[in-house]
Amino acid sequence: MARPSMWWALVAILLLTGCADEAPSQQHGANAALETAAEAVTSAPLKQQFGGVIGNTIAESVAAWPEQARAPEGAPNILLVMLDDVGFAQLGSYGAHRIQTPHIDRLADGGLRFNNFHATPLCSPTRAAFLTGRNHHSAAMGVIAEFSTGFPGYTGRMPLSHGMLSEILAPEGWSTFALGKWHLTPSEDVNLAANRRWWPLGRAFDRYYGFLGGTTNRYVPWLTQDNHFVRPPATPEEGYHLLTDMVAKAREYILDVKHVAPERPFFMYFAPGGTRAPHHVPAEWIARYEGQFDEGWDHYREKTLERQIELGIAPAGTRLSPRDPSIPAWRDLTPEQQEVFAHQMEVFAAYVSFVDHHVGQLVELLEEIEQLDNTLILLTSDNGASIEGGDQGLPNEVLFFNNVQVPLETIAAAKDEWGGPETFPIYAAGWAWAGNTPFLRWKRDTTRGGTAEPMIVHWPAGIAARGEIRTQFTHAIDVAPTLLDLLDMEPPASINGVMQAPMEGVSFAPTFADANAELEREAQYFEMVGRRAIYADGWRAYAPWPFGQEIKPEDLQDPKWMLFHIDEDFSESIDVADQYPEKLKELRELWWAQAHRYDVLPLDGRSVIRQAEPRPQMSAPRNRYVYYAGAGEVSSAVAVNVLNRSHTITADVVIPEDGAEGVLLAQGGRFAGYSFFVKDDRLHYVHNYVGLEEHTVTSSSMIPKGAVTLRYEFERTGPPDFAAGRGSPGVGRLYIDDRQVGEKEIPVTVPLAFALSGEGLCAGWDSLSPAVSAYDDEFHFSGTLRRVVVDVAD
């Protein structure tokens, strides 16, 4: 029972928020306070009322067990498949030129395809909208979790008042599973000291297996099982790949339920992380596509649009949207560029087919256990195809998140290893542009190229239509209301005692039986990193921004907008802003109204630079961090931040008489990081600058036996240049028992991020891929490591 003072606090807040004539921006603070107070004062759900009789003894008593939740008889299983960075035109059933996806196409042929389904232009925001039925800013996920900021629409902490489908279905008798990419936990909570409230099991998933961040290495992934980190069960040399591992877990979870309770339905959120970078795929799959894309991305667009019109995905008469100025014509590339870029697409196409194969394995399991007919499958993608590879592609995507540019020679040198464990690759932007045919632009952008996604719905027992196309405007926020509509369930008024905010999407279930069903929806806004768009009644207005440029605050106030009549111009090929100025004005005003309503403001055009912004931490600010051997890795978000600052690393060790070697402290992995270690009786420090250069300091003398203090000092000698992808230069020095034994200038360091895939900080070992090339395994320290202290005085 809440304390009386808490009730009076809630009453006071209700009185304060009763003013109906306040501007939306003024109301937000009061609404947020009301939500916080409501979460504070609501009680836990009451125990079920006892239906038996309790006497003095068992002989005069009647037992009555609490009822277990059981779904309605015949309730369907639900399988939500969330692909990653798959563009509108990268599946066979959506017209993809030469990309083979037979298993996904089979689902399309046996169900429905939507050609006007939309997501947000980035992954975390779409996933939040998809699972809650609310707009991404409403759910505090206005941008990806790693870029979150301290404003209500952007904190990355999804309010408990915005319950997920898992939290709705679990109490109603569904077993709930999540597999693969999560990306809905604030970075500072991805650690083993966190309370797990924003981990999958904290949001009512019974079981989880996958990776909590935005991506991970598919050969040596940073894995989480339920509420703890685990190591991959095999190595790349043994044939390990994360997709294969995930499907094996999905099979295990489904069978575990069906063995115990065959009639119990499951809700599975399967997010394989494909085909987001890294484009990791076995070589034999890549070989299938050799020479298939030598004609280039212009040819791909032309052939794909022809196929889309033939399939009915695009209306007859659809034209290709104009070439973006940043994308060169294929014919204008050099032969070397064409060779390198064509191979990048061969690897990507192989990856799409590899993902398709594993989706097919899930479907085959459902057939095998006679569950396919009564499994409702929705398959989509989180955003359009990605241009994060820049104009030439990247052998290591960590380069993008550090603003580092590399020449074609560096990219070409990695060609034969592209897709294998030695790379973390992503293709050139021209292929992303082609992958979103026939639309403008790509991921991160609010054009249809960034937001229009494939959407396939397959449910033989519930949908009579086979292979048909639906054209109604639909959005990720509509998925949760649609599922509840199909299940004849109302959104709950509260979940675990927390009052629920209204869902903001609408059900598109009526379209399943009626191709012409009208959906009563209001306008739908879009916003991502300052880029804006809005859809209403067949019109779409859009505020563009040049490829690869950060948007300055002064440029956010009054950008030039474009206008498209989508009902007549499916591909956004003709800007009609000058012809319909009043319509454009109406839509712009509507956008601002929704921006106030859904916590979109303040607009922020910064991208990767947001990684440098200080984030909230579980502990008080400090300049001294102590680490001990025997623990798991510490996520980079909560580890000591040594980037662009002077610091010291001091290890107290005992070296046995027969010597010792191994890592004292390491952070990052193959594609960026550092390591402080002992090898060949000498002390070493190596800084791995984004996989391009290693800067090594080695002691001039051997390490003595017995108790000894080993120290590395970095003295910063200049500022970082974030725009150029260069971290602070400095001088590195090594000490043994306070005696200097090594010194070297380090001209450049990692500016923004060591890793995208976990690979945090480790004391006494190096997790996953080695941070430096001096060793090739976890390189555990074989002496006694008493502690490592890192001081960051500035």
Side-chain angles (χ1 to χ4, degrees):
M1 193 70 177
R3 293 174 296 176
S5 59
M6 296 294 291
W7 283 111
W8 282 115
L10 178 58
V11 170
I13 292 169
L14 286 168
L15 291 172
L16 286 171
T17 57
C19 230
D21 58 352
E22 285 182 311
S25 58
Q26 295 172 318
Q27 287 181 348
H28 172 79
N31 291 338
L34 173 59
E35 181 177 276
T36 302
E39 291 185 13
V41 302
T42 47
S43 302
L46 297 174
K47 291 193 299 182
Q48 290 185 20
Q49 186 173 358
F50 181 63
V53 176
I54 299 178
N56 289 335
T57 69
I58 190 69
E60 53 194 16
S61 302
V62 178
W65 291 98
E67 290 185 11
Q68 293 195 40
R70 288 192 175 90
E73 185 177 353
N77 307 303
I78 301 171
L79 172 61
L80 303 185
V81 180
M82 175 64 76
L83 304 180
D84 203 321
D85 288 6
V86 173
F88 186 80
Q90 291 179 326
L91 300 177
S93 48
Y94 278 76
H97 178 56
R98 292 181 176 164
I99 299 180
Q100 303 299 312
T101 54
H103 300 286
I104 293 174
D105 297 348
R106 177 192 169 196
L107 295 176
D109 291 341
L112 297 173
R113 280 169 292 168
F114 288 74
N115 74 349
N116 202 5
F117 180 81
H118 293 262
T120 81
L122 274 180
C123 34
S124 300
T126 290
R127 292 158 197 271
F130 192 75
L131 289 171
T132 69
R134 284 88 169 188
N135 285 298
H136 56 303
H137 295 91
S138 297
M141 201 65 74
V143 73
I144 59 173
E146 294 85 350
F147 292 3
S148 54
T149 58
F151 295 98
Y154 297 90
T155 63
R157 294 183 175 273
M158 296 174 60
L160 303 183
S161 55
H162 292 52
M164 290 187 177
L165 280 166
S166 49
E167 294 171 298
I168 297 171
L169 294 176
E172 299 297 330
W174 272 260
S175 292
T176 55
F177 313 130
L179 294 107
K181 176 174 171 175
W182 181 243
H183 210 196
L184 293 171
T185 301
S187 300
E188 61 271 18
D189 283 353
V190 182
N191 67 82
L192 294 178
N195 65 17
R196 316 300 204 274
R197 191 65 190 88
W198 280 270
W199 288 36
L201 269 61
R203 300 308 297 251
F205 282 100
D206 297 329
R207 303 177 77 176
Y208 172 68
Y209 188 76
F211 52 100
L212 294 176
T215 190
T216 193
N217 193 311
R218 304 310 192 259
Y219 294 113
V220 282
W222 190 31
L223 287 173
T224 299
Q225 182 165 344
D226 297 334
N227 277 336
H228 60 281
F229 301 142
V230 295
R231 300 187 194 181
T235 66
E237 294 74 21
E238 295 168 327
Y240 179 86
H241 193 285
L242 177 57
L243 261 175
T244 306
D245 188 15
M246 254 191 290
V247 170
K249 282 292 181 188
R251 179 184 179 92
E252 174 188 329
Y253 291 176
I254 291 171
L255 292 180
D256 283 348
V257 169
K258 296 303 181 181
H259 286 167
V260 174
E263 75 288 350
R264 183 177 177 86
F266 64 81
F267 166 66
M268 177 175 285
Y269 174 59
F270 184 78
T275 56
R276 197 210 181 282
H279 297 166
H280 279 160
V281 59
E284 60 268 24
W285 286 79
I286 299 172
R288 301 179 186 185
Y289 283 99
E290 184 176 359
Q292 294 295 302
F293 302 100
D294 291 350
E295 298 96 335
W297 45 62
D298 294 295
H299 180 80
Y300 183 101
R301 290 189 88 213
E302 293 164 3
K303 290 299 182 183
T304 294
L305 179 57
E306 289 178 9
R307 180 65 176 150
Q308 288 174 333
I309 293 173
E310 178 185 331
L311 292 172
I313 287 295
T318 297
R319 292 180 290 186
L320 287 172
S321 58
R323 175 188 304 280
D324 191 273
S326 62
I327 305 298
W330 186 262
R331 64 176 179 273
D332 293 337
L333 299 176
T334 67
E336 182 183 20
Q337 287 175 314
Q338 290 181 352
E339 179 184 357
V340 171
F341 299 164
H343 183 63
Q344 293 174 2
M345 184 58 185
E346 292 169 7
V347 173
F348 176 80
Y351 193 19
V352 176
S353 291
F354 195 57
V355 171
D356 173 78
H357 168 75
H358 287 86
V359 170
Q361 288 193 320
L362 270 183
V363 173
E364 288 172 9
L365 168 64
L366 295 174
E367 276 190 306
E368 177 186 334
I369 62 175
E370 299 180 347
Q371 293 289 321
L372 181 60
D373 281 356
N374 199 31
T375 298
L376 173 56
I377 302 175
L378 281 80
L379 180 145
T380 188
S381 177
D382 57 358
N383 47 247
S386 173
I387 43 77
E388 289 158 343
D391 55 1
Q392 299 186 112
L394 293 171
N396 168 14
E397 198 198 8
V398 177
L399 297 168
F400 170 82
F401 285 92
N402 282 286
N403 277 337
V404 179
Q405 304 292 321
V406 292
L408 181 65
E409 301 90 280
T410 300
I411 297 164
K415 174 176 174 289
D416 292 342
E417 297 175 344
W418 207 272
E422 301 301 317
T423 63
F424 203 97
I426 182 171
Y427 57 15
W431 289 117
W433 175 61
N436 297 321
T437 300
F439 303 125
L440 288 169
R441 310 194 84 179
W442 36 65
K443 176 183 178 180
R444 293 172 171 255
D445 210 286
T446 52
T447 55
R448 295 191 79 188
T451 67
E453 309 303 330
M455 167 56 88
I456 295 169
V457 182
H458 182 275
W459 185 20
I463 300 176
R466 298 289 184 270
E468 295 182 12
I469 294 171
R470 297 293 185 261
T471 61
Q472 292 86 348
F473 179 94
T474 47
H475 190 275
I477 62 173
D478 300 335
V479 170
T482 299
L483 291 177
L484 296 185
D485 188 6
L486 292 170
L487 298 174
D488 198 24
M489 292 171 57
E490 291 292 329
S494 68
I495 293 176
N496 292 329
V498 177
M499 293 186 297
Q500 293 298 290
M503 288 195 175
E504 294 160 359
V506 300
S507 171
F508 56 85
T511 68
F512 291 3
D514 182 0
N516 300 311
E518 293 187 8
L519 305 180
E520 295 184 5
R521 70 174 315 117
E522 61 179 21
Q524 178 62 47
Y525 81 93
F526 298 85
E527 189 279 337
M528 192 57 62
V529 195
R531 294 157 176 83
R532 285 160 269 177
I534 189 162
Y535 170 89
D537 298 326
W539 294 84
R540 203 169 192 275
Y542 157 64
W545 196 255
F547 168 55
Q549 293 186 21
E550 301 258 340
I551 308 177
K552 299 177 182 177
E554 58 267 26
D555 297 325
L556 290 167
Q557 294 297 331
D558 190 26
K560 178 179 174 57
W561 286 66
M562 303 171 76
L563 178 66
F564 302 99
H565 194 185
I566 300 300
D567 283 354
E568 298 178 1
D569 179 17
F570 181 76
S571 60
E572 293 183 332
S573 64
I574 304 171
D575 178 10
V576 295
D578 292 340
Q579 294 175 242
Y580 301 97
E582 291 304 313
K583 173 58 72 174
L584 180 57
K585 179 182 178 183
E586 172 194 334
L587 290 174
R588 290 178 65 172
E589 291 175 351
L590 189 53
W591 187 91
W592 281 104
Q594 293 206 341
H596 282 276
R597 179 179 176 184
Y598 295 118
D599 283 341
V600 179
L601 304 179
L603 292 174
D604 188 345
R606 297 172 301 155
S607 182
V608 297
I609 196 69
R610 295 193 202 191
Q611 297 171 98
E613 199 167 280
R615 301 188 58 79
Q617 297 293 325
M618 296 174 63
S619 64
R622 65 191 194 275
N623 293 326
R624 185 172 185 267
Y625 294 74
V626 183
Y627 299 103
Y628 298 93
E633 70 176 285
V634 180
S635 167
S636 289
V638 293
V640 57
N641 181 10
V642 300
L643 294 176
N644 308 304
R645 61 204 306 196
S646 298
H647 59 275
T648 64
I649 304 173
T650 305
D652 293 328
V653 304
V654 177
I655 306 294
E657 286 302 314
D658 56 351
E661 65 175 10
V663 169
L664 304 172
L665 194 75
Q667 187 171 5
R670 175 178 284 118
F671 305 107
Y674 69 84
S675 183
F676 183 43
F677 61 97
V678 174
K679 187 177 181 183
D680 299 327
D681 295 321
R682 296 182 187 272
L683 185 60
H684 307 265
Y685 174 88
V686 179
H687 188 92
N688 171 1
Y689 173 64
V690 293
L692 299 177
E693 305 169 6
E694 287 192 349
H695 300 284
T696 303
V697 192
T698 299
S699 66
S700 57
S701 57
M702 299 175 69
I703 301 172
K705 306 300 188 292
V708 62
T709 299
L710 307 174
R711 185 167 82 252
Y712 168 74
E713 289 186 358
F714 178 77
E715 179 187 357
R716 191 180 78 153
T717 58
D721 185 347
F722 293 131
R726 299 178 67 83
S728 290
V731 176
R733 301 184 179 94
L734 293 175
Y735 296 83
I736 298 177
D737 286 334
D738 295 326
R739 179 171 57 90
Q740 184 173 331
V741 293
E743 178 175 317
K744 185 174 181 180
E745 180 181 352
I746 299 178
V748 63
T749 57
V750 174
L752 290 168
F754 284 126
L756 308 179
S757 55
E759 305 207 274
L761 180 146
C762 298
W765 65 299
D766 189 347
S767 66
L768 302 176
S769 68
V772 299
S773 61
Y775 49 86
D776 58 8
D777 56 17
E778 294 182 346
F779 204 36
H780 287 262
F781 184 63
S782 58
T784 300
L785 177 60
R786 289 177 171 164
R787 66 177 184 174
V788 182
V789 178
V790 185
D791 284 295
V792 283
D794 62 344

